[in-house]
């Protein structure tokens, strides 16, 4: 146990944002009497997150440089039989990295929000929610047991529900937050089943104690079947990750969640919450390594998400939804890396992606502000003239996203493709094809958006809906279509610049220690005898510069370049071509436009079927059988019987005398005549 990490310091990391959230939420809203104004609300919440970021950065330094570790119980909640339910912290290299990513992105989002939500009535409430979100996420990543992880998991789900439906008078936002909540509960059901199985067979919820018993768990079968218990546990845990990290078929909530204000898109759907599933699987690597079946399942689900969600990004016209489908696709890449047992690569991509995706979301928000809340990329064009900082930072984010050599996304994305290529699992072939094809698709839709927004002719004055406010326009702006775009204020552009820097350099700086050094030693476990993708990668790695130079000769680079060139030709040189392709491939376009009809299936078959079952159980089971037959039937039966008894019990002595005589007569008859 290191002296450099104290429990009180670590406790301050999640509690500082919680304090800011409580003060802004209780005293800055109508609920608490609006005692504090906007300036004090945003100051308190930003200060809380800033304190958390500084302490997280110092923790990461201690962990990375001095090898500091912390694994202690802070508070014992209760003991049930032999099962301890505790609040505790496990701080190692994985946790410390996640703490810095979460707090840094959250800090940027907090600062950005000052400009973005300037004219919104729910300003203080919004700051309270995003600080509460930061607290929830920190409790999730810092936990040393499954119970605390689950509570943090549910807390980020709750806050995301509040944030997605932040504009609660807007029907689409209400639908989106309910959809996100319900789909995540489906995933969480699987997750809690996995936790329940671990608690039942390992008798503990503490990570260290579970991992110590992993070999024992690996040798058990699932009762009543020939399945391995560890396979069932891992698949159940991964279903939780499918919900939270939006993997097929539980991905449907994430694009709709763009209904919330843009800052939360960056906070929830780019950087932190959706990566919770990736973090959890990496943390549980000692268990997942014991089941090749579970890893194959993860590979297939990740590959489907990476490829098919990318296709949907091609046809989107809402600037935020393009970035949302990009998030889905990149989460698929991370999941594929998990399936190939390249957990460190998945976490590395999680980190690099957090920076450039938050940058792209905030850049999209800046464009929306500058365009007076128009979100349709078809009615933009030549915005770079008016918004130079947004333009250059968005370009850097897009280059990082498509995996341009030397940019952060290149190192993590290329490593994923190589790791899958080196994997020998049955599903690795399909996964390798999916991630390679995904490179072209990502480059195409990213630069389609980039060219349509920042280059070409000015089209913002041709928007047929110019007089109507856009999706995100709850700010009270009443700009007409004659207004030219304008650069956003400094509270918006400074976070863009500060996010652009790691989006460019963080991959180059940290690939060596995170993938091939000792950074994740004793944190992430890989069975090198069975899964040797990481060992193959280590042999082929000769430094970040050599990797970037070699990357210029590989298929992913040429596929990315082809995607950019195709986007340039189709939208800048020959804009009639996309319309011609659309006409020629109308059935495919219709399929993509309807998102593979998954929403229709969910709403009309699964949801309607569930409701029909519910109504059937309510009307038939509850009202007809329980209320009608059992409850009402029982009192009617008692009433009927009571009526008969009441008739017999007349109260007249001669009635009773008659009955007695008849009884005696009957008995005598029986004994004298019949019982011979």
């Amino acid at each position: 146990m290191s002296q450099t990490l104290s429990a009180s310091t670590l406790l301050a990391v999640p509690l500082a944002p919680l304090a800011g959230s409580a003060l802004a939420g209780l005293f800055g809203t109508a609920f608490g009497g609006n005692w504090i104004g906007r300036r004090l609300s945003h100051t308190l919440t930003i200060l809380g997150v800033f304190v958390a970021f500084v302490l997280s950065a110092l923790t990461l330094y201690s962990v990375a440089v001095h090898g500091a570790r912390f694994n202690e119980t802070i508070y014992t909640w209760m003991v049930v039989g032999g099962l301890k339910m505790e609040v505790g912290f496990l701080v190692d290299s994985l946790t410390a990295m996640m703490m810095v990513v979460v707090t840094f992105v959250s800090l940027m989002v907090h600062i950005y929000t000052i400009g973005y939500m300037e004219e919104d009535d729910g300003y203080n409430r919004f700051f309270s929610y995003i600080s509460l979100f930061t607290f929830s996420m920190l409790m999730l990543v810092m936990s040393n047991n499954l119970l605390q992880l689950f509570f943090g998991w549910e807390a980020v789900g709750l806050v995301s529900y509040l944030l997605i439906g932040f504009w609660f008078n807007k029907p689409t936002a209400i639908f989106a937050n309910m959809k996100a909540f319900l789909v995540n509960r489906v995933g969480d059901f699987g997750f809690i089943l996995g936790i329940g199985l671990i608690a039942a067979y390992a008798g503990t919820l503490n990570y260290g104690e579970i991992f110590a018993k992993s070999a024992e768990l690996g040798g058990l079968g699932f009762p009543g079947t020939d399945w391995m218990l560890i396979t069932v546990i891992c698949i159940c845990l991964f279903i939780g990750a499918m919900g939270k990290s939006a993997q097929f078929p539980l991905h449907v909530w994430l694009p709709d969640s763009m209904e919330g204000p843009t800052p939360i898109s960056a906070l929830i759907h780019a950087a932190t919450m959706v990566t919770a599933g990736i973090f959890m699987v990496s943390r549980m690597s000692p268990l997942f390594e014991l089941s090749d079946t579970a890893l194959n399942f993860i590979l297939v689900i990740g590959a489907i998400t990476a490829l098919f969600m990318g296709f949907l990004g091609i046809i989107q016209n809402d600037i935020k939804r393009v970035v949302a489908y990009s998030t889905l696709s990149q989460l698929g890449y991370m999941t594929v890396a998990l399936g190939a047992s390249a957990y460190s690569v998945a976490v590395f991509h999680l980190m690099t992606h957090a920076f450039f995706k938050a940058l792209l979301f905030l850049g999209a928000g800046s464009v929306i502000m500058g365009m007076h809340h128009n979100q349709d990329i078809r009615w933009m064009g030549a915005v770079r003239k008016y918004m130079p900082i947004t333009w250059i930072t968005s370009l850097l984010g897009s280059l990082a996203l498509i995996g341009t050599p030397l940019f952060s996304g290149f190192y993590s994305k290329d490593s994923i493709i190589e790791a899958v290529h080196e994997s020998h699992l049955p599903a690795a072939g399909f996964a390798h094809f999916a991630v390679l094809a995904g490179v072209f698709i990502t480059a195409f839709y990213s630069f389609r958006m980039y060219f349509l927004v920042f280059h070409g002719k000015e089209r913002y004055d041709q928007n047929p809906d110019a007089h109507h406010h856009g999706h995100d326009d709850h700010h009270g702006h009443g700009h007409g279509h004659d207004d030219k775009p304008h650069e956003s204020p400094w509270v918006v552009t400074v976070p863009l610049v500060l996010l652009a820097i790691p989006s460019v350099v963080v991959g180059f700086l940290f690939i060596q220690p995170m993938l091939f050094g000792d950074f994740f030693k004793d944190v992430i476990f890989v069975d090198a005898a069975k899964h040797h993708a990481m060992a193959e990668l280590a042999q082929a790695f000769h430094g970040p510069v050599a990797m970037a130079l070699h990357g210029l000769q590989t298929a992913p680079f040429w596929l990315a370049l082809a995607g950019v060139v195709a986007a340039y030709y189709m939208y800048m040189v020959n804009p009639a071509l996309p319309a011609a392709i659309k006409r020629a491939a109308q059935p495919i376009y219709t399929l993509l436009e309807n998102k593979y009809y998954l929403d229709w299936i969910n709403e009309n078959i699964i949801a309607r079927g569930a409701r029909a079952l519910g109504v059937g159980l309510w009307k038939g089971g509850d009202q007809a059988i329980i209320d009608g037959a059992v409850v009402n039937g029982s009192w009617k039966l008692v009433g009927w019987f009571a009526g008969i008894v009441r008739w017999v019990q007349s109260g007249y002595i001669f009635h009773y005398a008659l009955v007695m005589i008849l009884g005696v007569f009957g008995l005598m008859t029986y004994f004298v005549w019949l019982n011979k």
Side-chain angles (χ1 to χ4, degrees), residues 153 187 191 237-247 277-278 280-281:
W153 195 269
F191 187 48
L237 290 175
F238 181 67
I239 288 169
M242 283 163 66
K244 200 63 74 193
S245 292
Q247 296 297 291
I278 310 297
M280 184 271 295
V281 175

Side-chain angles (χ1 to χ4, degrees), residues 201-214:
Y201 286 92
T204 179
L205 294 170
N206 185 278
Y207 294 156
E209 294 170 10
I210 294 167
F211 299 154
K213 295 184 179 181
S214 58

